[in-house]
Amino acid sequence: MSDQPLALLIAGPTASGKSALALGLGQDLGGTVINADSMQVYAGLRVLTAQPSDKEMALLPHRLYGERDPAVAASVAWWRGRVLEEMKAARAEGRLPILCGGTGLYFRSLTDGIAEIPPIPPEAREEARDLLAAEGAAALHARLAAADPASAARLRSSDSQRLARAWEVWRGTGRGIASWQGAGSTGPARLDGVPWRFVAIRLDPPREALREAIGLRWDAMLRGGAEDEVRALLARRLDPALPAMRAHGVPELSAALRGEMGAEEAGRRACSAIGQYTKRQATWYRHRSLADAARTHTIHARIASQKQYSESHRAEILSFLRSIVDGTLPGA
């Protein structure tokens, strides 16, 4: 490898085939796959969040999957700290870090850095959760707009997780999160003082391909034990505002298990919500291109399996990678 550390980013919407692509590239390039999805960090949600199977994990190293207890929210700052540790470890082993996921903010925390916000007192965090539970996201957005309009203007009134975060930062530090973000950041990720070099592959399949994939994935999740995972979550009586309790399929299956709707309706609503989420993901990547910090190759197709990757995209992707990082990839 060259003196500058290299990492590969694999980004794209839910159900686009990121995991299959990461697995195939990892085998080709001697990689370690590192999770960059905010829901796949949680334990107990392996089926619902489509985490890699035991068979897939046995083929090459996978990191940061199912690591966080659902009772404890995972922040971008926590993930960034952990992923830097895993990237350094992969580099020390002579392996290529391959960051795979759909959470754009996670990627940007590496390529651009994050605001250095002081620790938040527990009482401020508890207040934010209590307000969200008692009044709902729209009311919390209105409160935030009155107290910290700059931060509220950046957030959707339905984005409960980020609204709660913005409220706790304002209450806990006396400054809005927008103010902290405008004051500077950690800067791009570094390894022992040397900036990481990022190369990105972005999957951008047609909408109709995603809709079909979402429906197929939902059916597979039900067959794989998704209801059992939701039953286990409900048995713990966790705060419904926690991110893990709002993972795709959890609210809908929870309602079905409580008898509030039928299984068919739960599936319809879940697939609709996932479809809307993939639209927001696509919008995010259009307006915040990974190309700002990384050479990016876009694939306008869905990678349905590792076999499909090997047959239809392998030469194309490897040619792209080697054309810009000649001599730096394991096995190049």
Side-chain angles (χ1 to χ4, degrees), residues 43-66:
L45 296 176
R46 190 168 193 174
V47 174
L48 278 165
T49 62
Q51 295 175 30
S53 66
D54 288 336
K55 181 179 179 181
E56 290 166 336
M57 287 190 170
L59 294 175
L60 76 165
H62 284 70
R63 302 289 184 260
L64 297 187
Y65 290 93

Side-chain angles (χ1 to χ4, degrees), residues 13-198:
T14 297
S16 58
K18 298 182 297 295
S19 295
L21 180 57
L23 187 63
L25 283 173
Q27 291 179 297
D28 279 338
L29 303 173
T32 293
V33 179
I34 306 174
N35 174 40
D37 184 281
S38 62
M39 290 295 117
Q40 289 184 332
V41 301
Y42 292 110
L45 296 176
R46 190 168 193 174
V47 174
L48 278 165
T49 62
Q51 295 175 30
S53 66
D54 288 336
K55 181 179 179 181
E56 290 166 336
M57 287 190 170
L59 294 175
L60 76 165
H62 284 70
R63 302 289 184 260
L64 297 187
Y65 290 93
E67 180 171 305
R68 192 81 162 176
D69 189 293
V72 184
S75 67
V76 176
W78 170 83
W79 178 84
R80 189 179 191 271
R82 284 289 294 112
V83 83
L84 288 176
E85 293 173 1
E86 295 297 349
M87 290 167 66
K88 182 175 183 178
R91 172 80 177 181
E93 295 168 359
R95 305 187 67 85
L96 175 69
I98 300 176
L99 286 83
C100 176
T103 304
L105 289 175
Y106 277 12
F107 289 125
R108 297 293 281 202
S109 77
L110 292 178
T111 60
D112 295 2
I114 57 174
E116 297 187 278
I117 300 173
I120 304 301
E123 54 269 24
R125 183 168 289 113
E126 184 176 348
E127 179 182 289
R129 289 187 180 180
D130 288 347
L131 285 171
L132 186 62
E135 302 179 4
L140 184 56
H141 188 269
R143 282 179 176 268
L144 186 66
D148 179 15
S151 297
R154 299 184 178 190
L155 301 172
R156 292 181 291 107
S157 61
S158 60
D159 195 341
S160 57
Q161 181 179 354
R162 292 191 176 93
L163 286 168
R165 173 62 176 167
W167 184 266
E168 70 182 34
V169 168
W170 175 72
R171 290 290 284 164
T173 69
R175 286 174 57 184
I177 196 168
S179 173
W180 283 108
Q181 290 170 342
S185 75
T186 58
R190 292 174 174 266
L191 175 64
D192 299 329
V194 180
W196 280 91
R197 184 181 185 189
F198 295 104

